[in-house]
Amino acid sequence: MSAVDAVRNTSAPEPGVLRAGVLAVLVHVSFIALMVFGLNWKAQPPEGMVVELWQDLPQPAEPQEVPEPSPQPPVKEQPEPEKEQPEPVLEPVKESVEQQPVPESISVAPSPPKKPDIPLKQEKEKPEPPETVKEIKPDPEDLQKQAQERIAAEKQAKEKAEAERIQREKEAEQEAQRKREQEAKAKREAQQAAARARVMNEVAKYKAMILAKIRSRIVMPPDLPGNPVTEFNVTLLPGGDILNVSLRRSSGYAAFDSAVERAIYLSKPLPLPPDPVLFNEFRNLNVTVHYLE
């Protein structure tokens, strides 16, 4: 065997093996320390938050002029203190590093509570009062104009009411006048009717007297059949004198017609009413005579 082969076959230690082992041990120790301290910091329970609750909202006050509330300074959020992580302690590397045992149960200490990001308000903000409506003062000229218009309207209403009252009184007076005229007319008509009735009664009375006087002067022809009737128109003068006698309708018996005509002439003067106004009723007298009454 040559010298070169002898050198190749000898087992010489590889360079850097010790350094690699030390670095591996340091990495494992750092990882274990990080696990222990990291779990203890994360396992702390959070702090409780205090919140104030309101049962009923405050009622808004009556609108008053309230000065605007001064703005409250914003509450600054205190930054959360950062936990200082302990630096890993590196022990001196020994050639033979014993592996430390991992504890079976790791006690986790509670972490301090994390403060809320939004700051809590100590009390609710009071509702802003409603804006007060500014009182608008009316213009004196407008007030005066409105007062004048109101006075003019009242005056116009009074004048209208007075005109309506006068119109009603006028209509009532006219209605009363019509009633009085109607009553007077009815009274006159009644008086006229009574006067006509009285005149007719008077005329009928004197006509009956004239006919009775004429019949008393008739010499009736005997034995005339039936009840013949003859009519004569007699024109009278004031005082009852006879101006003319004319046959209007014959009875068919000349003896009876002649006897009636003679009796009319023999009856003058005929009886007439004393009132000369009634003479017109007798100026042209119609005399009708029946053979038998």
Side-chain angles (χ1 to χ4, degrees), residues 20 32 51 67 82 108 132 140 146 175 212 215 218 226-227 280 291:
I32 292 170
V51 180
E82 296 180 355
V108 180
T132 56
Q146 292 177 2
E175 184 66 21
R215 288 188 68 85
I218 298 174
N227 188 16
N280 293 328
Y291 182 73

Side-chain angles (χ1 to χ4, degrees), residues 40-48 80-81 83 109-115:
N40 289 338
W41 177 67
K42 291 295 182 178
Q44 292 180 358
E47 294 182 358
E80 181 182 359
K83 286 271 187 179
S111 61
K114 186 178 180 180
K115 293 185 178 180

Side-chain angles (χ1 to χ4, degrees), residues 43-122:
Q44 292 180 358
E47 294 182 358
M49 292 186 295
V50 179
V51 180
E52 184 178 357
L53 300 178
W54 292 75
Q55 184 175 0
D56 295 327
L57 293 177
Q59 297 295 331
E62 295 181 357
Q64 298 178 356
E65 293 184 359
V66 182
E68 295 182 357
S70 60
Q72 298 180 359
V75 181
K76 294 183 178 180
E77 181 181 359
Q78 297 181 359
E80 181 182 359
E82 296 180 355
K83 286 271 187 179
E84 295 182 358
Q85 298 180 357
E87 297 180 357
V89 180
L90 300 179
E91 296 179 357
V93 181
K94 297 181 180 180
E95 294 181 358
S96 60
V97 181
E98 297 179 357
Q99 187 175 0
Q100 297 179 359
V102 180
E104 296 180 358
S105 60
I106 301 174
S107 62
V108 180
S111 61
K114 186 178 180 180
K115 293 185 178 180
D117 296 336
I118 302 174
L120 297 177
K121 296 183 180 180
Q122 297 297 331

Side-chain angles (χ1 to χ4, degrees), residues 49-262:
M49 292 186 295
V50 179
V51 180
E52 184 178 357
L53 300 178
W54 292 75
Q55 184 175 0
D56 295 327
L57 293 177
Q59 297 295 331
E62 295 181 357
Q64 298 178 356
E65 293 184 359
V66 182
E68 295 182 357
S70 60
Q72 298 180 359
V75 181
K76 294 183 178 180
E77 181 181 359
Q78 297 181 359
E80 181 182 359
E82 296 180 355
K83 286 271 187 179
E84 295 182 358
Q85 298 180 357
E87 297 180 357
V89 180
L90 300 179
E91 296 179 357
V93 181
K94 297 181 180 180
E95 294 181 358
S96 60
V97 181
E98 297 179 357
Q99 187 175 0
Q100 297 179 359
V102 180
E104 296 180 358
S105 60
I106 301 174
S107 62
V108 180
S111 61
K114 186 178 180 180
K115 293 185 178 180
D117 296 336
I118 302 174
L120 297 177
K121 296 183 180 180
Q122 297 297 331
E123 59 180 359
K124 279 188 171 291
E125 295 181 356
K126 295 183 179 180
E128 297 181 358
E131 297 181 358
T132 56
V133 180
K134 295 182 180 180
E135 183 180 358
I136 301 175
K137 295 183 179 180
D139 191 0
E141 294 182 357
D142 294 340
L143 293 177
Q144 185 177 3
K145 185 177 180 181
Q146 292 177 2
Q148 291 177 356
E149 291 177 354
R150 184 171 61 256
I151 293 172
E154 292 177 356
K155 183 178 179 181
Q156 185 178 3
K158 289 181 180 179
E159 291 177 354
K160 184 179 180 181
E162 183 67 17
E164 290 178 354
R165 184 185 65 80
I166 294 174
Q167 183 66 20
R168 289 195 298 270
E169 291 180 355
K170 185 177 180 180
E171 291 177 355
E173 181 64 24
Q174 291 177 355
E175 184 66 21
Q177 182 66 22
R178 284 196 296 270
K179 287 183 178 180
R180 288 193 295 269
E181 290 177 358
Q182 290 177 358
E183 291 176 356
K185 183 179 179 181
K187 186 176 181 180
R188 288 194 301 270
E189 290 178 353
Q191 292 175 354
Q192 291 174 2
R196 285 195 298 271
R198 186 170 58 253
V199 169
M200 296 303 295
N201 292 334
E202 190 77 6
V203 170
K205 173 184 175 182
Y206 278 89
K207 283 184 177 181
M209 293 172 60
I210 291 172
L211 184 58
K213 187 174 182 180
I214 291 172
R215 288 188 68 85
S216 64
R217 304 290 191 281
I218 298 174
V219 179
M220 294 289 183
D223 301 332
L224 292 178
N227 188 16
V229 179
T230 183
E231 293 182 10
F232 286 89
N233 286 330
V234 180
T235 303
L236 298 179
L237 296 174
D241 290 336
I242 298 174
L243 179 62
N244 185 26
V245 177
S246 61
L247 180 64
R248 182 179 180 183
R249 187 179 68 177
S250 174
S251 62
Y253 299 96
F256 180 62
D257 296 338
S258 299
V260 172
E261 183 177 1
R262 285 192 300 270

